[in-house]
């Protein structure tokens, strides 16, 4: 079962209205994107971390539970997956997480500068493309998100596809303003305390994920 098969296995039943209101914003094409600022989302100032393509939210909810002093936002275009993520957050009683149904491109030009403390893109679908260009990981992504990260903030990318990961490496190494946070060209394996349903699937197939962690290069002083 591929990514779409895993998505079909998730029930589309909406969470309770109060959970939807608290945890989910449904962006509509043509409207301005929602503000991704901690005070607007959580009524307090705190470091903010973003997962692009959060899916059903297992990884991000685990981070939010482990670090209540931080705020977390998950972006994904799938309503059904985010309904599942909302139920996870509501069942755990989390107060520091929010989800947005939208493509990351909806936020290009609108993300506050130097507002993110970490960025995650874990197990993106390698086949989501338009005219051969990946809809998430492409040169525009690296350009836009670099400005949204604080200096020295980290971008973690994980993929189960060796071929796609080679493409990611080439993009990352050619994108200006980024540097690897590790000596190796890339890392083998990914061991978070809580795994997403996507990672669990690849592990059942004995596929070792590949990972690269990038750091936003500090802006030289003027």
């Amino acid at each position: 079962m591929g990514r779409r098969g895993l998505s079909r296995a998730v029930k589309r039943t909406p969470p309770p209205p109060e959970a939807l209101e608290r945890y989910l914003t449904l962006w509509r094409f043509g409207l301005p994107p929602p503000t991704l600022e901690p005070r607007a989302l959580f009524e307090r100032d705190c470091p903010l971390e973003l997962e692009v393509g959060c899916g059903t939210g297992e990884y991000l909810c685990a981070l939010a539970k482990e670090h209540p002093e931080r705020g977390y936002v998950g972006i994904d275009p799938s309503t059904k997956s985010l309904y599942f993520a909302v139920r996870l957050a509501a069942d755990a009683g989390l107060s520091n997480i929010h989800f947005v149904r939208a493509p990351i491109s909806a936020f290009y030009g609108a993300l506050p500068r130097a507002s993110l403390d970490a960025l995650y893109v874990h197990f993106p679908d390698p086949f989501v493309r338009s005219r051969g260009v990946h809809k998430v990981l492409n040169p525009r992504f690296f350009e836009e998100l670099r400005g949204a990260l604080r200096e020295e903030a980290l971008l973690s990318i994980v993929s189960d596809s060796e071929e796609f990961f080679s493409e990611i490496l080439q993009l990352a190494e050619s994108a200006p303003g980024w540097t690897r946070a590790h000596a190796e060209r890339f890392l083998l394996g990914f061991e978070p305390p809580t795994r997403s349903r996507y990672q669990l699937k690849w592990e059942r197939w004995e596929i070792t994920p590949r990972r690269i962690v990038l750091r936003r290069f500090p802006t030289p002083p003027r």
Side-chain angles (χ1 to χ4, degrees), residues 204-218:
R204 285 196 296 270
W205 287 0
E206 299 183 355
I207 296 175
T208 301
R210 298 178 177 223
R211 184 185 189 203
I212 184 170
V213 181
L214 300 172
R215 178 180 286 114
R216 179 194 166 184
F217 204 76

Side-chain angles (χ1 to χ4, degrees), residues 34-56:
T35 300
L36 300 187
E37 294 181 352
R39 184 158 291 278
L41 295 172
F42 313 118
E43 299 182 345
R44 62 186 174 94
D45 293 321
C46 61
L48 188 65
E49 302 186 5
L50 172 67
E51 184 176 11
V52 177
C54 64
T56 45

Side-chain angles (χ1 to χ4, degrees), residues 24-40:
L24 182 61
T25 297
L26 298 173
W27 176 78
R28 296 187 184 280
F29 183 79
L31 296 179
T35 300
L36 300 187
E37 294 181 352
R39 184 158 291 278

Side-chain angles (χ1 to χ4, degrees), residues 111-173:
L111 287 169
R113 188 165 185 83
S115 59
L116 299 177
D117 286 77
L119 177 63
Y120 310 100
V121 187
H122 292 170
F123 302 99
D125 189 337
F127 305 110
V128 178
R129 297 174 181 266
S130 177
R131 298 180 181 177
V133 177
H134 196 267
K135 288 188 175 182
V136 177
L137 292 169
N138 51 53
R140 181 80 185 276
F141 172 88
F142 286 97
E143 177 185 353
E144 292 281 348
L145 272 298
R146 179 186 178 275
L149 286 173
R150 299 186 191 278
E151 290 189 0
E152 299 295 317
L154 299 179
L155 161 59
S156 170
I157 304 175
V158 183
S159 178
D160 57 281
S161 168
E162 183 176 351
E163 181 179 356
F164 181 43
F165 192 78
S166 295
E167 182 180 331
I168 292 169
L169 280 178
Q170 293 177 27
L171 278 170
E173 291 169 347

Side-chain angles (χ1 to χ4, degrees), residues 44 46-47 62-72 94-96:
R44 62 186 174 94
C46 61
L63 286 180
K65 186 175 182 179
E66 184 178 358
H67 300 286
E69 76 283 1
R70 293 177 171 266
Y72 295 88
L94 299 175
S95 61
N96 60 332

